[in-house]
């Protein structure tokens, strides 16, 4: 089994470059740039689509021969304001030039249908609470299935308060069996506030053939090829993660771990 925890490869430039080949799966790609003001990143999408997320900072963006101007307004992701995002179709190029120090996420998946380049945020994104008690978290849905903006990509941000759990009760989406479940590979890009903190993420299957529990640090990425994948934020540290999902069908259907589904049933009452 491929190591599921990926540390940043550097402190500047392209610090994450997770391709399907390197992940050992077929759909999701994730890249992350740390750029200083004046620095540039550029890529060709080829047969893949991309959603660019300005996690922090500002940059001027071009995509598919269209100039989108300066985007981005939150200097810290933990401001929790809606992110500025850009959809880039397959068979096109994009370019970002930082106007401040910035963190730019590049979420990719196969381009299976034509969609135009377009802004995806901050308009249309509203911070929304989910869960109860110590399972409360707050969601910025960037491109989930209710927004017909991509052919394969599903992208969302989640903020988990100190001491709380997230992606919980434990759930999985690793079978291509719609409408009961959809097969979706997933990456988690984690941030911690304060940055010296850590979080915990477990990725496991009910039969025990996969069971990894990881201490995630600020800037780490966790791969979820299959199985359940809950995570927790210790007291004193707030956790953020950017989720990227993709599979053969752009729908999110999951099943809770039967051992813990009683929690969801209780909270639904």
């Amino acid at each position: 089994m491929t190591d599921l925890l990926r540390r940043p490869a550097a402190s500047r430039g392209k610090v994450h470059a997770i391709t399907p080949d390197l992940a050992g799966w077929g759909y999701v790609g994730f890249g992350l740039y740390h750029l200083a003001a004046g620095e540039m990143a550029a890529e060709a999408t080829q047969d893949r689509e991309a959603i660019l997320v300005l996690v922090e900072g500002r940059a001027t963006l071009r995509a598919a021969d269209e100039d989108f101007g300066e985007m981005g307004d939150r200097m810290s992701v933990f401001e929790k304001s809606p992110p500025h995002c850009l959809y880039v179709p397959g068979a096109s190029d994009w370019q970002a030039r930082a106007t401040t120090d910035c963190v730019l996420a590049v979420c990719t998946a196969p381009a299976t249908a034509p969609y135009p380049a377009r802004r995806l945020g901050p308009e249309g994104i509203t911070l929304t609470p989910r869960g109860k008690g110590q399972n409360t978290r707050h969601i910025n849905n960037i491109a989930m299935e209710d927004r017909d903006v991509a052919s394969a990509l599903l992208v969302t941000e989640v903020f988990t308060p100190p001491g709380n759990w997230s992606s919980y009760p434990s759930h999985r989406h690793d079978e291509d069996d719609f409408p009961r479940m959809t097969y979706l590979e997933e990456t988690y890009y984690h941030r911690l506030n304060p940055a010296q903190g850590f979080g915990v993420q477990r990725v496991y299957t009910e039969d025990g053939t996969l069971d990894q529990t990881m201490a995630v640090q600020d800037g780490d990425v966790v791969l979820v090829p299959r199985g359940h994948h809950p995570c927790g934020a210790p007291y004193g540290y707030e956790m953020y993660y950017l989720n990227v999902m993709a599979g053969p069908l752009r729908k999110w259907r999951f099943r809770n771990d039967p051992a813990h589904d009683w929690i969801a049933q209780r909270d639904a009452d």
Side-chain angles (χ1 to χ4, degrees):
M1 173 55 62
T2 302
D3 182 17
L4 303 183
L5 178 62
R6 304 298 175 91
R7 306 283 191 199
S11 59
R12 305 301 305 174
K14 194 168 188 179
V15 304
H16 283 292
I18 297 167
T19 65
D21 285 346
L22 290 175
W25 58 30
Y27 293 90
V28 171
F30 182 76
L32 192 82
Y33 288 89
H34 283 193
L35 302 175
E39 292 181 334
M40 188 177 74
E43 294 183 6
T45 58
Q46 300 179 355
D47 61 349
R48 299 176 67 77
E49 63 184 4
I51 291 178
L52 309 181
V53 180
L54 275 160
V55 178
E56 293 176 331
R58 300 188 183 97
T60 59
L61 296 178
R62 288 187 57 84
D65 298 322
E66 187 173 350
D67 187 353
F68 289 88
E70 187 178 49
M71 296 177 62
D73 63 3
R74 65 184 187 195
M75 294 298 103
S76 165
V77 68
F78 290 101
E79 294 171 16
K80 302 185 185 68
S81 56
H84 289 224
C85 310
L86 183 67
Y87 175 82
V88 186
S92 59
D93 300 326
W94 64 262
Q95 176 184 299
R97 185 179 297 276
T99 54
T100 69
D101 287 356
C102 78
V103 177
L104 177 69
V106 184
C107 317
T108 71
T112 58
Y115 282 80
R118 58 170 289 188
R119 291 175 179 261
L120 297 183
E123 300 81 13
I125 301 174
T126 301
L127 190 67
T128 305
R130 182 180 295 168
K132 295 182 178 181
Q134 298 308 117
N135 198 38
T136 301
R137 60 270 199 209
H138 298 85
I139 317 294
N140 274 332
N141 279 330
I142 295 168
M144 296 302 284
E145 66 181 273
D146 61 326
R147 302 186 78 187
D148 185 20
V149 296
S151 61
L153 279 167
L154 295 165
V155 180
T156 191
E157 294 184 320
V158 180
F159 299 87
T160 306
N164 283 19
W165 284 85
S166 201
S167 292
Y168 187 81
S170 306
H171 66 273
R172 64 184 177 95
H173 37 73
D174 53 12
E175 296 180 40
D176 187 11
D177 186 25
F178 182 79
R180 185 183 72 90
M181 192 187 306
T182 47
Y183 173 84
L184 295 169
E185 302 157 356
E186 187 168 17
T187 56
Y188 278 65
Y189 163 60
H190 285 279
R191 297 288 301 274
L192 279 302
N193 182 33
Q196 72 267 26
F198 69 94
V200 175
Q201 184 154 28
R202 183 186 181 198
V203 181
Y204 70 97
T205 56
E206 292 161 35
D207 64 6
T209 56
L210 171 61
D211 196 344
Q212 292 190 28
T213 300
M214 294 151 279
V216 295
Q217 299 174 1
D218 188 63
D220 288 349
V221 173
V222 172
L223 310 184
V224 182
R226 57 193 173 99
H228 304 282
H229 40 278
C231 51
Y235 175 74
Y237 293 99
E238 183 179 15
M239 173 186 282
Y240 161 92
Y241 52 83
L242 175 66
N243 281 144
V244 183
M245 295 183 283
L249 184 64
R250 190 178 177 264
K251 294 186 181 296
W252 182 49
R253 300 292 186 275
F254 60 87
R255 304 285 286 188
N256 290 334
D257 185 339
H260 310 303
D261 187 55
W262 66 270
I263 299 169
Q265 299 304 318
R266 180 200 63 188
D267 288 354
D269 293 340

